[in-house]
């Protein structure tokens, strides 16, 4: 890609920038990769609005690649090391070995609540990095800015590459135009499905026992890997059809199939594990019962964790909030209400 080789001969300068970047929830899951951060199948997600990370990044011309990171005002050696390791992989930007970087970051949602803080956190940082590189190149209004930010986000955390656009986003080469394994692309949905809500039922905020990185790794030797990638490709096509035609029933069917297949991969891996909790299953049964009895288009999905994301159109907000209050609040630690967001902003 031209914009990557473009950064080879840049000289460091001083610069600071602040970005607010949202999390996203996958409707079709990325679970398993080929080589370095290349997805085994295309994925599709909804960008959130209220769950975001705000990150200020300051670059100084001297610093020998040193990274300092403050999370909610507290110095974090652990996260600084993660960013340092990531930057060490970016051979296409040699100046990163010379500069000093100070990162101040905060999330609007609690860590470990099943909302992908890596998607918002790493996309916010990658946007800051891209801003710096484009500033040094004098390309501040470039049309490929977000594509480049998506590329740098992907190299930090796959799902983060989908957070750089608002609305709905796909990532991974597929039948749609302008798609790529290297960056995400905006995806236009039918008007009837453009105002979906996501109520997150946090049944447990405990740190998960097995990381997503380990989960992706297990897929490389999973007995069902090829079948799962084929299913994901088929579900992707069905989800595209549902979202572009406004078919909410088909959307919900595929959404739940994807959530349960993701967890089925964990259950059936050679080193099996369970991230769902008893309340997760109880919640699913209650959602299915409510749908059977009322016919309302309320569906769920799961990330790599125990918490339920309830996906539904704004038109049934009152009914769903009533159901959450009576049926799901008693089995959860907290509920976070979110909706489709517009994507990142420079603050
Ligand atoms: O981006 P990673 O490496 O944290 O993987 C994310 C995987 C899922 O959140 C489970 C699915 C997805 O597509 O977001």
């Amino acid at each position: 890609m031209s914009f990557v080789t473009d950064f080879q001969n840049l000289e460091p300068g001083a610069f600071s920038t602040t970005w607010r970047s949202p999390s996203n929830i996958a409707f079709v899951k990325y679970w398993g990769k080929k080589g370095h951060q290349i997805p085994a199948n295309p994925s599709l997600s909804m960008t959130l609005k209220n769950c975001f990370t705000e990150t200020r990044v300051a670059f100084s011309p001297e610093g020998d690649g040193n990274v300092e990171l403050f999370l909610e005002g507290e110095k974090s050696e652990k996260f600084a090391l993660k960013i340092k390791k990531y930057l060490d992989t970016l051979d296409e930007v040699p100046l990163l070995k010379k500069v000093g970087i100070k990162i101040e970051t905060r999330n609007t949602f609690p860590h470990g609540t099943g909302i992908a803080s890596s998607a918002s956190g790493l996309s916010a940082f990658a946007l800051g990095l891209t801003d710096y590189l484009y500033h040094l190149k004098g390309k501040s209004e470039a049309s490929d800015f977000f594509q480049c930010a998506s590329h740098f986000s992907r190299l930090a955390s796959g799902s983060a590459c989908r957070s750089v656009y608002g609305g709905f986003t796909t990532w991974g080469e597929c039948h749609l135009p302008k798609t790529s394994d290297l960056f995400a692309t905006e995806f236009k949905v039918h008007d009837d499905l453009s105002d979906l809500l996501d109520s997150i039922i946090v049944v447990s905020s405990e740190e998960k026992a097995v990381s997503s990185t380990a989960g992706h790794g297990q897929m490389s030797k999973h007995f069902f890997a090829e079948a799962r990638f084929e299913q994901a490709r088929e579900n992707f096509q069905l989800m595209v059809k549902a979202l572009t035609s406004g078919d909410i029933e088909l959307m919900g069917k595929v959404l739940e199939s994807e959530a349960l297949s993701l967890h089925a991969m964990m259950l059936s891996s050679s080193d099996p594990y369970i991230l769902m909790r008893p309340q997760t299953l109880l919640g699913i049964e209650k959602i299915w019962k409510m749908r059977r009895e009322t016919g309302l288009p309320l569906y769920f999905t799961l990330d790599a964790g125990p918490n339920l994301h309830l996906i539904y159109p704004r038109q049934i907000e009152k009914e769903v909030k009533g159901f959450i209050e009576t049926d799901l609040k008693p089995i959860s630690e907290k509920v976070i209400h979110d909706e489709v967001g517009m994507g990142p902003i420079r603050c």
Side-chain angles (χ1 to χ4, degrees):
M1 275 181 303
S2 58
F3 55 77
V4 173
T5 45
D6 266 347
F7 303 128
Q8 283 293 339
N9 299 316
L10 288 180
E11 282 304 320
F15 184 73
S16 71
T17 183
T18 302
W19 281 85
R20 182 180 284 186
S21 191
S23 186
N24 69 73
I25 178 70
F27 281 26
V28 177
K29 311 291 181 185
Y30 149 60
W31 199 244
K33 43 186 140 184
K34 307 175 273 189
H36 185 51
Q37 298 294 88
I38 299 297
N41 60 265
S43 58
L44 190 156
S45 61
M46 174 173 117
T47 298
L48 299 180
K49 180 181 175 189
N50 302 326
C51 296
F52 62 81
T53 301
E54 193 172 296
T55 300
R56 179 176 185 274
V57 195
F59 298 88
S60 55
E62 292 99 30
D64 297 327
N66 184 47
V67 177
E68 231 189 341
L69 188 146
F70 296 84
L71 174 61
E72 320 284 352
E74 300 260 325
K75 193 166 177 160
S76 168
E77 302 288 355
K78 182 179 136 195
F79 287 116
L81 191 66
K82 272 194 172 179
I83 295 285
K84 174 92 183 98
K85 277 194 178 157
Y86 157 63
L87 294 174
D88 284 346
T89 65
L90 297 182
D91 292 335
E92 64 259 48
V93 196
L95 73 80
L96 293 172
K97 310 254 179 322
K98 300 185 200 162
V99 295
I101 303 180
K102 182 179 176 189
I103 303 164
E104 292 159 280
T105 186
R106 67 172 189 97
N107 293 325
T108 55
F109 51 92
H111 185 67
T113 46
I115 304 157
S117 57
S118 63
S120 56
L122 291 165
S123 59
F125 175 72
L127 284 154
L129 172 64
T130 310
D131 208 0
Y132 177 50
L133 299 175
Y134 275 52
H135 162 79
L136 293 178
K137 281 209 75 82
K139 276 178 78 166
S140 57
E141 298 306 321
S143 60
D144 57 7
F145 178 87
F146 286 100
Q147 201 172 76
C148 182
S150 181
H151 161 79
F152 283 129
S153 300
R154 170 184 60 88
L155 293 173
S157 161
S159 59
C161 82
R162 297 186 311 242
S163 275
V164 307
Y165 298 111
F168 288 76
T169 305
T170 71
W171 166 41
E173 224 166 280
C174 63
H175 65 292
L176 298 171
K178 296 186 185 155
T179 51
S180 168
D181 284 343
L182 306 180
F183 48 80
T185 309
E186 284 176 289
F187 175 69
K188 174 95 182 78
V189 304
H190 192 278
D191 282 351
D192 290 355
L193 296 181
S194 62
D195 195 11
L196 293 179
L197 306 185
D198 177 5
S199 293
I200 304 154
I201 313 298
V202 181
V203 302
S204 167
S205 52
E206 264 175 42
E207 196 76 35
K208 59 186 174 196
V210 181
S211 70
S212 291
T213 308
H216 285 292
Q218 287 195 345
M219 286 307 288
S220 61
K221 50 181 184 348
H222 199 294
F223 191 78
F224 297 133
E226 277 319 309
R228 163 58 198 157
F229 300 146
E230 204 179 309
Q231 180 206 30
R233 282 190 281 271
E234 195 176 306
N235 274 345
F236 181 88
Q237 297 221 8
L238 289 171
M239 184 59 84
V240 165
K241 184 174 164 212
L243 291 173
T244 49
S245 65
D247 185 343
I248 197 162
E249 231 172 89
L250 179 61
M251 180 209 83
K253 190 169 176 238
V254 180
L255 186 76
E256 295 186 353
S257 155
E258 277 295 297
L260 296 173
S261 294
L262 169 69
H263 285 261
M265 288 301 105
M266 301 171 196
L267 295 170
S268 56
S269 69
S270 56
D271 204 357
Y273 61 105
I274 307 177
L275 295 184
M276 291 183 288
R277 297 270 69 92
Q279 299 93 311
T280 316
L281 298 180
L282 207 56
I284 292 173
E285 286 180 338
K286 282 170 181 282
I287 293 163
W288 281 347
K289 181 165 180 280
M290 137 79 146
R291 204 162 67 222
R292 257 196 327 270
E293 289 174 355
T294 65
L296 291 171
L298 167 67
Y299 303 95
F300 74 86
T301 186
L302 296 161
D303 217 330
N307 304 316
L308 286 157
H309 289 247
L310 268 52
I311 306 291
Y312 55 97
R314 192 181 295 279
Q315 291 93 308
I316 61 164
E317 183 175 6
K318 198 165 149 267
E319 291 87 338
V320 173
K321 285 196 170 156
F323 164 68
I324 291 175
E325 204 57 42
T326 54
D327 287 64
L328 299 179
K329 270 246 173 94
I331 59 163
S332 65
E333 285 179 10
K334 61 170 114 28
V335 178
I336 298 170
H337 294 292
D338 213 331
E339 58 189 86
V340 183
M342 307 275 282
I345 51 167
R346 193 197 269 114
C347 303

